[in-house]
Amino acid sequence: MESIINKRVKDFSKNADLIQTISIFLLALLVPTFLGQLIKNIFGAQSIITQNSQLIVGSIVNTALIMSAINLKGWKKILGVVTMPSISTMLSGYVFKSASVYMVYMIPAIWIGNFVLVYMYKLLMLSKEKHYFLAGIVGIVSKVIVIAGGFMLLKAFNIFPEKLVTTLQTAMTTTQVITASIGMFIAFAIYKLEKASK
């Protein structure tokens, strides 16, 4: 597993590696914390953009996860990107609003799901040289299975209030598929730009 975690699309200079690491970490940390509130301030609380801010935030976070899979190496960097979005989402409390307090229970499943997405890219695309989109599809399906499975397990123990179950179930299933898929396409565009700039 160590050799797979250390795979990346190419070796970067120290400066390029530092810039990428900082950029991806900032996306993973700051987007969940501030973007939702910023969207609300710009567009108003009732706008369709604000109502769907989880899609925007989640898509950017998934882009950061996939870019970390492709461009970063080492456990510290990968685990940092995998864990930061959910922590900052909980701290900001904006994306899940009143349900945020209950999302604490979902953090382990979200971390594992994020890690699985990153690992599938490293394993399939970088180690086994499979196509980018095959790695993405396998990674997305695996991530959603882990997160949805965690949610269903907690739901079986009546962790979540009944009035929030439908909202959380959508957030942990359908929304995960949508945001990870959008992130996959955004990251692909960035990946192609990086290749073209060689």
Side-chain angles (χ1 to χ4, degrees):
M1 186 178 275
E2 187 74 33
S3 63
I4 293 170
I5 292 298
N6 287 322
K7 292 276 187 189
R8 61 179 171 182
V9 74
K10 69 173 189 174
D11 284 322
F12 298 96
S13 69
K14 282 188 176 181
N15 286 341
D17 185 56
L18 182 63
I19 290 167
Q20 286 197 67
T21 302
I22 291 171
S23 299
I24 292 170
F25 270 58
L26 286 175
L27 277 177
L29 178 65
L30 299 180
V31 165
T33 306
F34 297 110
L35 186 59
Q37 187 62 46
L38 183 63
I39 290 169
K40 179 182 176 183
N41 291 342
I42 293 170
F43 296 101
Q46 301 307 315
S47 75
I48 192 162
I49 295 172
T50 301
Q51 296 300 316
N52 291 290
S53 62
Q54 187 188 354
L55 294 175
I56 298 167
V57 170
S59 298
I60 296 171
V61 166
N62 277 288
T63 301
L65 288 168
I66 295 168
M67 292 312 301
S68 73
I70 294 170
N71 290 341
L72 302 183
K73 69 177 188 176
W75 283 102
K76 287 180 184 177
K77 291 177 182 177
I78 297 303
L79 292 179
V81 177
V82 161
T83 57
M84 268 194 284
S86 55
I87 292 170
S88 60
T89 298
M90 295 303 106
L91 293 176
S92 72
Y94 181 77
V95 172
F96 294 108
K97 300 175 182 69
S98 62
S100 292
V101 67
Y102 297 102
M103 292 309 300
V104 171
Y105 298 108
M106 284 299 303
I107 284 180
I110 292 169
W111 285 353
I112 295 167
N114 286 348
F115 178 77
V116 166
L117 176 63
V118 169
Y119 188 78
M120 286 301 154
Y121 268 99
K122 288 191 173 290
L123 176 67
L124 297 177
M125 180 185 162
L126 302 179
S127 294
K128 299 187 180 291
E129 299 181 356
K130 302 296 182 185
H131 194 275
Y132 174 95
F133 285 109
L134 174 63
I137 291 166
V138 173
I140 290 167
V141 169
S142 301
K143 173 181 176 167
V144 173
I145 288 171
V146 169
I147 293 175
F151 173 79
M152 296 309 249
L153 182 65
L154 291 170
K155 180 184 167 191
F157 285 98
N158 296 314
I159 298 293
F160 308 114
E162 196 59 42
K163 64 181 181 180
L164 295 177
V165 166
T166 303
T167 301
L168 290 173
Q169 187 165 335
T170 301
M172 297 301 109
T173 54
T174 308
T175 304
Q176 294 294 325
V177 173
I178 294 168
T179 57
S181 299
I182 294 170
M184 176 177 68
F185 284 106
I186 296 170
F188 183 71
I190 297 168
Y191 167 63
K192 283 298 191 182
L193 286 171
E194 285 181 344
K195 282 186 75 174
S197 67
K198 283 183 181 180

